[in-house]
Amino acid sequence: MASASERKPWDSSNLRKYCLNFEEIPRLPFDDPRVDELISSNPVIIEGSNLVKSATDKWNLEYIERHMGVTTNTVYLSRNHKFKYFDDKKIQSRTNPRGVEFSPPMRKVEMKVEEFMKKLREWKRGDERLYMQQSLTAAVGPNIVQDFVGFNWKWINAKQKTHCWGKLTSNLLYVSMEGNVTPCHYDEQENFFAQVYGYKRCILFSPDQFQCMYPYPVHHPHDRQSMVDLERPDHTRFPRFKDAKGVEAVIGPGDVLYIPIYWWHHIESLMRLGPTITINFWYKAGPTTIEYPLKDHQKVSIMRNIEKMLLEVLQDPREVGPLLRNMVLGRFD
Ligand SMILES: CC1(C)c2ccccc2-c2ccc(C[C@@H](CC(=O)O)C(=O)C(=O)O)cc21
Ligand SMILES: [Zn+2]
């Protein structure tokens, strides 16, 4: 019988089932030189960095409740287990013709941390699920500020310098219920994803999988999200999705996952394993050096700009698709 320390804290019964198989994301000690070779074009899990050790040593829900301070926190509520990001600025604006109704899949409320924790403790099947997001630069309590100051800034500042990233734009704290899923999307910033408490499964796809991931149009409220539901993929609408090549890992307290800019990521808090606490470090991209052949994420950026420009001149988003089809079908094969 394995001892408590050797017994794995989770098994496949805690993971949701998907139709794809994934390779493993490499795990490396923080001082392994291969870490820097992988960073900036591949995800990697970095162990033993002590990046947020001041948090992993002490943070749990009680600590957060006691020390989060008096500010209210942003809490997202969803009627199912998916927390699908949407840009509310893209709902009303002219880019959304009257006819196409968008029903937000989740709602945002400001809540005191005590109320959030109470709802978490009293949650039962059928209730809306909760996901709390709080900027660590807001007026959080002095203990949390103290822990934040105690992060391993020497290590992560050196990473930022080595890889010529832009400035640190935000440190966000996420407290999620078990079983919550953040569906597949990409961000336009570099991300050090530090797991503080509990276990999260991360499934990542490279930007070169663009043709398999079917992102929403740039003007859609779900811009940057994949249209494919990983749990129930529509192989008729999205035939290339079955060829998508992804990598995955389950990360726990002390692990830091590097999510490269423009990489697709689906993140789930393991089922029946309790709440999770994560801190992410988002950095602006470094300077763009144009070298040929262009990198895949640069082509994603070019396609985004073409969609934005076309919408600007066409005004009606329903004209963007037909114009692009007329432009390419039968002409570039
Ligand atoms: C779901 C939620 C709370 C949300 C609601 C509405 C608008 C934005 C967001 C948002 C943004 C980032 C995360 C953290 C993480 C995913 C994860 O860990 O679940 C991730 O994607 C990243 O670190 O890049 C989570 C959220
Ligand atoms: Zn993200």
Side-chain angles (χ1 to χ4, degrees), residues 18 82 84 226-234 238 241:
Y18 301 119
K82 293 188 179 80
K84 194 168 179 178
S226 169
M227 294 195 282
V228 186
D229 178 349
L230 193 57
E231 268 166 59
R232 296 172 57 247
D234 178 340
F238 313 119
F241 181 70

Side-chain angles (χ1 to χ4, degrees), residues 117-184:
M117 295 299 177
K118 183 170 178 294
K119 284 187 183 299
L120 227 51
R121 281 190 289 268
E122 296 169 357
W123 187 86
K124 53 190 184 309
R125 294 177 66 81
D127 292 352
E128 284 178 304
R129 283 170 168 270
L130 304 106
Y131 205 141
M132 184 180 106
Q133 173 179 357
Q134 171 62 27
S135 164
L136 278 181
T137 51
V140 295
N143 299 65
I144 293 205
V145 169
Q146 190 61 31
D147 301 334
F148 175 85
V149 168
F151 290 169
N152 188 347
W153 294 104
K154 179 173 171 292
W155 179 78
I156 198 162
N157 292 345
K159 282 283 166 282
Q160 175 187 18
K161 197 167 169 354
T162 306
H163 299 285
C164 310
W165 290 343
K167 70 182 181 61
L168 173 68
T169 57
S170 57
N171 280 107
L172 288 164
L173 165 69
Y174 298 93
V175 182
S176 169
M177 272 181 65
E178 63 186 25
N180 283 3
V181 174
T182 301
C184 214

Side-chain angles (χ1 to χ4, degrees), residues 267-300:
I267 302 200
E268 60 191 56
S269 293
L270 266 52
M271 295 187 288
R272 294 185 304 285
L273 219 59
T276 59
I277 302 175
T278 308
I279 297 167
N280 70 9
F281 296 65
W282 265 322
Y283 289 86
K284 278 230 176 298
T288 308
T289 52
I290 300 289
E291 283 168 24
Y292 290 94
L294 291 179
K295 296 217 172 39
D296 291 297
H297 73 80
Q298 291 173 314
K299 292 179 182 170
V300 173

Side-chain angles (χ1 to χ4, degrees), residues 89-265:
K89 292 188 299 299
K90 294 187 175 177
I91 299 177
Q92 289 79 18
S93 74
R94 59 171 171 68
T95 67
N96 181 20
R98 267 94 32 231
V100 181
E101 210 30 55
F102 176 79
S103 54
M106 63 185 175
R107 61 196 181 92
K108 175 164 94 168
V109 297
E110 290 302 309
M111 217 183 266
K112 290 187 74 56
V113 70
E114 292 80 5
E115 188 189 350
F116 170 74
M117 295 299 177
K118 183 170 178 294
K119 284 187 183 299
L120 227 51
R121 281 190 289 268
E122 296 169 357
W123 187 86
K124 53 190 184 309
R125 294 177 66 81
D127 292 352
E128 284 178 304
R129 283 170 168 270
L130 304 106
Y131 205 141
M132 184 180 106
Q133 173 179 357
Q134 171 62 27
S135 164
L136 278 181
T137 51
V140 295
N143 299 65
I144 293 205
V145 169
Q146 190 61 31
D147 301 334
F148 175 85
V149 168
F151 290 169
N152 188 347
W153 294 104
K154 179 173 171 292
W155 179 78
I156 198 162
N157 292 345
K159 282 283 166 282
Q160 175 187 18
K161 197 167 169 354
T162 306
H163 299 285
C164 310
W165 290 343
K167 70 182 181 61
L168 173 68
T169 57
S170 57
N171 280 107
L172 288 164
L173 165 69
Y174 298 93
V175 182
S176 169
M177 272 181 65
E178 63 186 25
N180 283 3
V181 174
T182 301
C184 214
H185 69 280
Y186 65 86
D187 301 305
E188 295 179 274
Q189 301 205 43
E190 302 285 2
N191 184 352
F192 267 121
F193 189 86
Q195 191 59 13
V196 173
Y197 182 87
Y199 290 82
K200 271 180 170 174
R201 182 213 200 158
C202 309
I203 303 172
L204 275 64
F205 300 87
S206 156
D208 72 13
Q209 298 291 302
F210 182 93
Q211 294 81 352
C212 304
M213 300 307 290
Y214 300 88
Y216 283 89
V218 169
H219 59 266
H220 191 282
H222 284 320
D223 174 26
R224 291 185 292 110
Q225 313 267 329
S226 169
M227 294 195 282
V228 186
D229 178 349
L230 193 57
E231 268 166 59
R232 296 172 57 247
D234 178 340
H235 293 302
T236 310
R237 277 185 71 192
F238 313 119
R240 291 186 300 273
F241 181 70
K242 64 184 181 317
D243 306 323
K245 296 281 173 284
V247 289
E248 74 169 326
V250 173
I251 58 175
D255 288 335
V256 175
L257 167 65
Y258 165 60
I259 306 177
I261 187 169
Y262 284 104
W263 272 66
W264 298 90
H265 46 287

